[in-house]
Amino acid sequence: MNGKIIFYEDRNFGGRSYECMSDCPELTSYLSQCNSCRVESGCFMVYDRSNYMGNQYFVRRGEYSDYSRMGMSDCFRSCRMVPMHRGSFRMRIYERENFGGQMMEMMDDCDSIMDRYRMSDCQSCNVMDGHWLMYEQPHFRGRMMYMRPGEYRSFREMGYSNMRLMSMRRIMDSC
């Protein structure tokens, strides 16, 4: 099933709108600004900077009337569709950049890497299976980062130098 998200220029779904059914690196190509959105189907990550950068937020079917209530510092500027994953989940997290320091392999959600693994930091990871959300605070709170299968050698070089990732959750929603 494909996803569908509609962005609106104004808060509370006002003004002109743009319908999106796939990744979009630059929403301001279609609307001068995007202050609210409605997810009709699927799951998406929305970002407050172009090219999937900046603060990001996971959205599923529902209405999001005001970007500023979601921890975004600016209106929506890009979005990425999160594909549905059926199967196992596997990710290795590393204490240091370039897969250095302590390593732990995860196959399920972890509400605190400090409590579970005695890890005080996570600076790189390798996502083998599934799609994950990583959070800057324990218990899935604070800013989040979307991780799809691949190697992530340095969160700092990805623009997350002031962010410590302390909990991880699998994206399992049948969006």
Side-chain angles (χ1 to χ4, degrees):
M1 180 175 165
N2 289 335
K4 181 174 165 185
I5 185 170
I6 304 168
F7 292 94
Y8 298 86
E9 278 185 326
D10 302 329
R11 290 177 170 90
N12 297 311
F13 320 108
R16 293 187 321 130
S17 65
Y18 172 69
E19 194 174 289
C20 189
M21 297 174 74
S22 61
D23 296 357
C24 181
E26 183 55 77
L27 289 164
T28 54
S29 301
Y30 307 100
L31 297 172
S32 58
Q33 58 184 8
C34 302
N35 286 301
S36 57
C37 70
R38 179 178 285 127
V39 179
E40 299 212 337
S41 60
C43 295
F44 291 83
M45 292 304 295
V46 291
Y47 302 80
D48 63 8
R49 287 179 45 207
S50 303
N51 296 312
Y52 322 114
M53 301 294 285
N55 293 310
Q56 45 189 288
Y57 196 85
F58 177 72
V59 293
R60 59 172 61 97
R61 188 180 175 109
E63 297 188 335
Y64 302 85
S65 61
D66 184 352
Y67 76 88
S68 64
R69 292 192 193 139
M70 300 165 65
M72 309 288 251
S73 57
D74 199 353
C75 61
F76 307 124
R77 297 207 179 275
S78 57
C79 77
R80 177 167 270 161
M81 193 173 86
V82 178
M84 192 57 223
H85 173 76
R86 301 190 196 288
S88 62
F89 287 78
R90 199 160 58 109
M91 171 170 64
R92 288 188 180 137
I93 60 172
Y94 298 85
E95 192 176 24
R96 303 273 166 259
E97 292 183 347
N98 294 310
F99 314 122
Q102 183 182 355
M103 182 276 287
M104 288 293 157
E105 187 166 307
M106 308 173 54
M107 298 177 79
D108 59 357
D109 299 352
C110 176
D111 64 1
S112 171
I113 61 170
M114 184 62 142
D115 292 348
R116 187 188 287 185
Y117 303 123
R118 298 287 170 249
M119 279 177 89
S120 59
D121 205 355
C122 171
Q123 295 182 10
S124 58
C125 76
N126 181 4
V127 178
M128 284 88 84
D129 295 302
H131 296 255
W132 298 73
L133 288 175
M134 300 177 90
Y135 295 81
E136 77 177 328
Q137 296 170 20
H139 308 291
F140 318 116
R141 291 197 179 106
R143 291 180 298 167
M144 58 181 78
M145 190 161 72
Y146 168 54
M147 310 303 276
R148 52 192 190 174
E151 292 186 345
Y152 300 88
R153 295 186 166 276
S154 171
F155 298 149
R156 180 181 51 81
E157 288 176 7
M158 292 168 60
Y160 299 101
S161 55
N162 60 347
M163 191 166 158
R164 291 174 65 192
L165 297 164
M166 303 304 293
S167 55
M168 294 83 190
R169 174 178 274 163
R170 299 163 295 166
I171 301 177
M172 298 180 64
D173 303 62
S174 46
C175 298

